[in-house]
Amino acid sequence: KCRTGPLDIVFVIDSSRSVRPFEFETMRRFMIDIIGNLDVGPNATRVGVIQYSSQVQNIFSLKTFFTRADMERAINSIIPLAQGTMTGLAIQYAMNVAFSTQEGARPLHKRIPRIAIIVTDGRPQDRVTEVATQARNAGIEIYAVGIQRADMNSLRAMASPPLEEHVFLVESFELIQQFGKQFQDKLCGVDMCVEQEHGCQHSCISIPGSFYCKCNPGYRLNMDGKTCSPIDACADGRHGCQHHCVSVRGSYSCRCRPGYYLSQNKRSCIMIDYCSFGNHSCQHECVSIPNGHYCRCRSGFTLQPDSKSCRATDLCNGVDHGCEFKCVSTEGSYHCVCPEGQQLQADGKTCSKCGSGHVDLVMVIDGSKSVRPQNFELVKQFVNRIVDLLEVSPHGTRVGLVQYSSRVRTEFPLNKYHSADEIKKAVMDVEYMEKGTMTGLALKHMVEHSFSELEGARPLSHNIPRIGLVFTDGRSQDDISEWARRAKESGIVMFAVGVGKAVEEELRAIASEPVEQHFSYSADFTTMTHLVENFSLNICPEEGKGETEIRSPCECEALVQFQTNTVAILQSLTEKNILWARSLAQMTARLEDLEKQIANKK
């Protein structure tokens, strides 16, 4: 048997139509006889077989079988292609596919000889010289075996040098089996590691006609091709050790600096948690460091000379607190306070005086079908004139808008826009909804969503008045009493404005106490100026009169200023648009009459 070292052998068999069936059987026997004398296996010699005619067919690759019995069964099942003779195409396939690592060939750096045995009986019908040269340059040793009619020039063009050792011409198929024994001797040769002084420091590997030296694991072959040196596995920088890499006979291990231990992945290092030992005696917090620990106090405390206990710090005296009026220290923190009657601003430091008129205002406008598009535009103008006189800003007045009909839609929440111009543009972009009048549903939406902190309402502790202003022109199609009551109980000052067919009973149910100061009604949109005349009344009576709920001075001034601005806007808007509004009212009346006539005809 051939025991001179592992080989990667691929048989390239001509199965063109010129090869008669009994001749092809002789070729099967030739391959089986050679394989029978090879030491085959995954770590020994690997064998593959391809056949060709006008096309190439892979019978089995170098990675398919590792026993002679399996290979013999596969060879016996070959069905000849019986077409042309494209030898060049077969060599191309062997080079690109059969001898690829994907198909089972060992990598070139392992120095396993790659041998192609081409068996043909005729002249190639394509070019072989160039592709055979490419295959030889790729490290494939080619044996060319010609039978009977084979062209000697083509065989010599395909084979590796020296040609006298790689080109064979057999007179007939009957003689190929006898030739197989001769070829076996050529393929295996003598064990060069035994026949001569090889000089290898570790191991000698014999290959046909030569040998090479191989080093033990953990060593690499030196430039002289014989001696070996230990491999420094840490030198290439790919070890992945977080701290230190220690090379050990071609391998490596990771080590950590003092104060750390190696993690389960054997590469990264974890600092030892000395605090977890439970003997640190720190009053507040223990902080681990390499080779030890130290104690740390929580914010607002100072570490004492014993390096373990903590004492509270008067932060008002130790930091630049920035409080406008007074700083109050608490355990580990501080906060600012303002004089009575003044409000702490959103920055948590400055105090505001009364008279700024800042409110959280949500206007809820009726967008039902009865309002009509032209009147809806008047309502939008009215809303924008209110916005013109407000100090809109994140820390000043915030404005939200809700429209309702059969459903409720938030046009924009309190925290959406931070300037009057942004709000006015958004108001003009509002689209008329039409359909029904679900005022109760709108009040529920306002209480649950519009005045939530999520949508921009300031916390009640900031004493910023919350105002709900409801415009409607007809009877609600749902109950309004429950959510009108909840709105007022939640601290929202409710104003009700009714136009046209609005129901006074519902308006009064919506309005805050005193009701006369919080609701107004007008027969049509042309007299909107008079809707909120009562808003100018003082809604913060003097203490002790018992007429209404006592409010803080700042909240009262804010409400009064909002009312004054609203009246001024209504007056100006109506004076400029009175003629246009009257024309629209007449047109509206005509449309209503027309609708009634149509309805009567139906």
Side-chain angles (χ1 to χ4, degrees):
K1 292 186 182 297
C2 184
R3 301 186 182 278
T4 58
L7 306 170
D8 285 343
I9 299 177
V10 174
F11 288 94
V12 183
I13 303 302
D14 180 357
S15 65
S16 60
R17 66 173 62 93
S18 62
V19 180
R20 287 167 288 188
F22 73 89
E23 294 174 336
F24 193 81
E25 294 303 317
T26 306
M27 295 174 69
R28 289 188 209 266
R29 194 72 257 161
F30 167 71
M31 289 187 286
I32 292 172
D33 287 347
I34 291 181
I35 292 172
N37 288 299
L38 296 175
D39 183 17
V40 298
N43 298 317
T45 293
R46 299 183 182 182
V47 178
V49 176
I50 62 176
Q51 68 166 334
Y52 74 94
S53 60
S54 297
Q55 59 186 358
V56 180
Q57 181 186 33
N58 180 50
I59 304 304
F60 58 86
S61 63
L62 293 168
K63 66 179 180 181
T64 306
F65 301 123
F66 297 113
T67 66
R68 285 184 291 274
D70 289 337
M71 295 176 187
E72 183 174 346
R73 277 193 294 270
I75 291 172
N76 284 328
S77 66
I78 298 174
I79 299 175
L81 298 173
Q83 296 174 359
T85 309
M86 303 295 286
T87 310
L89 181 65
I91 297 173
Q92 183 80 40
Y93 181 91
M95 177 176 63
N96 293 339
V97 180
F99 281 109
S100 67
T101 54
Q102 291 83 357
E103 291 297 308
R106 266 75 63 98
L108 289 172
H109 70 268
K110 291 192 174 182
R111 303 180 67 177
I112 305 297
R114 295 181 174 183
I115 297 174
I117 303 174
I118 302 173
V119 183
T120 180
D121 78 327
R123 182 187 299 273
Q125 294 175 339
D126 58 354
R127 296 182 178 181
V128 297
T129 304
E130 183 178 348
V131 69
T133 301
Q134 293 175 358
R136 295 193 298 269
N137 291 339
I140 301 173
E141 185 177 0
I142 300 177
Y143 287 85
V145 181
I147 303 173
Q148 286 184 340
R149 300 169 294 277
D151 178 59
M152 178 58 74
N153 290 332
S154 298
L155 296 177
R156 295 173 65 87
M158 291 186 286
S160 297
L163 296 179
E164 59 271 17
E165 296 183 8
H166 291 82
V167 177
F168 303 91
L169 184 60
V170 183
E171 295 179 358
S172 67
F173 280 92
E174 289 80 4
L175 298 175
I176 194 170
Q177 282 185 282
Q178 181 180 352
F179 160 75
K181 298 178 181 179
Q182 176 187 357
F183 182 76
Q184 179 70 30
D185 293 337
K186 287 282 185 182
L187 188 63
C188 293
V190 297
D191 189 341
M192 301 299 291
C193 292
V194 176
E195 294 296 322
Q196 65 183 58
E197 182 63 35
H198 52 75
C200 297
Q201 182 178 355
H202 287 179
S203 303
C204 175
I205 306 298
S206 181
I207 59 176
S210 185
F211 70 91
Y212 66 89
C213 297
K214 184 177 179 181
C215 296
N216 296 335
Y219 293 82
R220 64 163 54 91
L221 196 65
N222 293 328
M223 294 296 293
D224 60 7
K226 296 185 178 182
T227 59
C228 302
S229 299
I231 297 174
D232 184 358
C234 297
D236 60 8
R238 295 182 295 177
H239 50 77
C241 297
Q242 184 177 354
H243 287 178
H244 303 299
C245 177
V246 179
S247 182
V248 183
R249 290 189 180 181
S251 184
Y252 68 90
S253 63
C254 298
R255 292 182 185 176
C256 297
R257 294 193 294 267
Y260 295 80
Y261 65 91
L262 199 63
S263 66
Q264 290 185 350
N265 64 19
K266 302 301 181 183
R267 287 179 173 82
S268 58
C269 297
I270 302 173
M271 188 173 67
I272 298 173
D273 185 5
Y274 290 96
C275 293
S276 64
F277 298 161
N279 58 356
H280 51 77
S281 301
C282 297
Q283 183 179 352
H284 283 184
E285 300 171 1
C286 175
V287 180
S288 287
I289 56 175
N291 297 325
H293 73 279
Y294 68 89
C295 296
R296 182 173 63 190
C297 297
R298 293 191 295 270
S299 177
F301 292 82
T302 304
L303 192 65
Q304 298 304 294
D306 63 1
S307 298
K308 296 181 179 180
S309 57
C310 302
R311 180 177 296 175
T313 303
D314 185 358
L315 291 180
C316 289
N317 292 328
V319 299
D320 182 14
H321 51 75
C323 296
E324 180 180 340
F325 176 68
K326 184 179 180 180
C327 175
V328 178
S329 289
T330 57
E331 184 175 333
S333 184
Y334 71 91
H335 66 273
C336 300
V337 297
C338 294
E340 183 178 356
Q342 296 188 22
Q343 302 171 17
L344 189 66
Q345 295 300 285
D347 61 6
K349 297 181 179 182
T350 58
C351 301
S352 68
K353 309 299 188 293
C354 291
S356 63
H358 297 162
V359 296
D360 284 346
L361 168 63
V362 174
M363 287 180 275
V364 182
I365 58 175
D366 185 349
S368 62
K369 182 178 180 181
S370 60
V371 173
R372 305 286 185 183
Q374 63 271 24
N375 290 332
F376 190 74
E377 292 301 315
L378 284 176
V379 173
K380 287 162 62 174
Q381 292 182 36
F382 171 72
V383 169
N384 275 349
R385 294 300 299 275
I386 291 177
V387 174
D388 278 334
L389 294 182
L390 298 175
E391 295 182 17
V392 178
S393 69
H395 302 304
T397 290
R398 300 181 183 180
V399 178
L401 183 63
V402 173
Q403 184 185 175
Y404 74 96
S405 60
S406 298
R407 57 189 178 89
V408 184
R409 181 172 72 205
T410 297
E411 301 295 351
F412 51 84
L414 289 166
N415 57 2
K416 176 71 173 181
Y417 300 113
H418 305 308
S419 71
D421 289 341
E422 291 178 315
I423 292 175
K424 289 167 65 179
K425 182 180 184 303
V427 170
M428 296 311 297
D429 290 338
V430 170
E431 295 184 358
Y432 180 37
M433 293 176 68
E434 297 189 302
K435 297 190 178 180
T437 309
M438 302 293 285
T439 311
L441 183 64
L443 290 171
K444 180 178 185 292
H445 181 90
M446 180 193 71
V447 173
E448 292 185 339
H449 301 285
S450 302
F451 281 108
S452 66
E453 293 185 26
L454 182 65
E455 293 201 4
R458 267 82 56 104
L460 292 172
S461 61
H462 286 193
N463 293 323
I464 302 295
R466 295 182 174 183
I467 298 178
L469 188 57
V470 179
F471 285 88
T472 181
D473 84 324
R475 179 183 296 274
S476 176
Q477 295 173 339
D478 62 350
D479 180 64
I480 59 113
S481 58
E482 172 69 16
W483 286 101
R485 177 181 59 79
R486 290 197 187 188
K488 289 175 282 190
E489 288 177 351
S490 67
I492 302 172
V493 179
M494 294 299 300
F495 290 89
V497 178
V499 182
K501 298 179 181 179
V503 179
E504 180 177 348
E505 180 184 354
E506 291 184 353
L507 298 175
R508 288 179 173 275
I510 294 172
S512 293
E513 295 288 343
V515 173
E516 299 301 328
Q517 297 181 14
H518 291 84
F519 102 96
S520 289
Y521 170 80
S522 181
D524 58 59
F525 285 86
T526 62
T527 57
M528 285 177 62
T529 303
H530 307 293
L531 287 176
V532 287
E533 287 180 349
N534 290 336
F535 290 178
S536 61
L537 298 177
N538 183 8
I539 63 171
C540 294
E542 296 178 2
E543 293 186 32
K545 290 188 177 182
E547 296 181 7
T548 187
E549 176 186 357
I550 303 301
R551 303 183 184 276
S552 71
C554 288
E555 183 179 4
C556 290
E557 288 195 26
L559 291 170
V560 169
Q561 183 169 336
F562 171 75
Q563 293 171 346
T564 303
N565 292 343
T566 302
V567 171
I569 293 166
L570 285 170
Q571 291 174 344
S572 175
L573 181 65
T574 304
E575 289 170 0
K576 291 183 179 180
N577 296 283
I578 187 67
L579 295 177
W580 178 63
R582 285 175 178 172
S583 297
L584 289 176
Q586 293 173 359
M587 185 179 295
T588 301
R590 287 183 180 181
L591 289 172
E592 289 178 349
D593 291 339
L594 182 60
E595 286 182 352
K596 290 178 180 178
Q597 294 175 14
I598 293 172
N600 291 332
K601 288 182 179 181
K602 289 182 178 180

